[in-house]
Amino acid sequence: MLHKAETYGITGGMKALQIRKITNEEKKELENGLRTSDAFTVRRCQILLSNEKGQTAPRIAEGLHCSAQSVRRAIHAFNQEGTLCIHKKSSRPHNSVFSFDQAGLERLPDIVNSSPRDYGIEHSLWSLERLVKVCHQLGMIEKQISSPVMRDAIKRAGIDWKRVRKRIRSTDEAYEEKKSGEMS
């Protein structure tokens, strides 16, 4: 059985992770990235330029006060994407699918313009949570969705959510008679 020192060589460590050969255009872009106001871009450029000079991930991490894993992640990203990796990407899930189909979006304004009481909710004002509940009960969406997804659906349906009005309707059965003054 081989000892650890024999497996990895005399130094006792694995081969240091290095970025691929940098072109002149890439080097200019990395150097320009050092002067940007975006902290993510500055940090990535510092990591990549330090690694190009031969520094190892642990040494770069120590100098920049970050984790060695962050340094390795930046190096792998550069090797795969080139200088695209110096710009922060969206943290939104890549597999999110919009919950409403076109028919559901067309039906949404009618629901919003009616009273929540029409759907068995004892409130005169819609909230995003109540709207999600009703849409789920009506089979417009398969599962409960978050408020931001509901807000996106409202926007796609062309509804100005800020303008949704309170729908006042009394639960008193004689309300209409009282309102018209027919009752004495």
Side-chain angles (χ1 to χ4, degrees), residues 130-163:
R130 291 180 199 123
L131 204 49
V132 167
K133 183 179 177 183
V134 167
C135 289
H136 181 60
Q137 288 172 345
L138 295 175
M140 294 170 59
I141 51 177
E142 291 181 23
K143 59 182 179 175
Q144 296 282 339
I145 57 175
S146 66
S147 294
V149 173
M150 189 71 224
R151 188 175 288 112
D152 185 39
I154 290 168
K155 186 176 179 182
R156 287 185 187 201
I159 302 167
D160 186 2
W161 184 247
K162 292 178 190 173
R163 307 268 305 160

Side-chain angles (χ1 to χ4, degrees), residues 46-86:
Q46 289 171 329
I47 289 170
L48 297 171
L49 290 169
S50 296
N51 187 257
E52 189 221 6
K53 292 178 184 172
Q55 288 189 22
T56 62
R59 176 141 311 144
I60 296 169
E62 184 180 318
L64 295 177
H65 303 288
C66 64
S67 70
Q69 184 60 42
S70 295
V71 174
R72 287 189 290 274
R73 218 177 278 126
I75 294 168
H76 283 298
F78 180 80
N79 288 340
Q80 291 176 349
E81 306 170 27
T83 55
L84 291 175
C85 77
I86 66 172

Side-chain angles (χ1 to χ4, degrees), residues 16 22 24 31 62 71 77 79 81 85 89 106 120 129 178:
I22 297 178
N24 289 336
E31 289 170 347
E62 184 180 318
V71 174
N79 288 340
E81 306 170 27
C85 77
K89 294 169 187 64
E106 290 170 3
E129 292 78 18
K178 290 177 184 177

Side-chain angles (χ1 to χ4, degrees), residues 171-179 183:
T171 54
D172 183 5
E173 294 172 6
Y175 175 73
E176 289 299 323
E177 289 178 41
K178 290 177 184 177
K179 184 177 157 186
M183 278 185 88

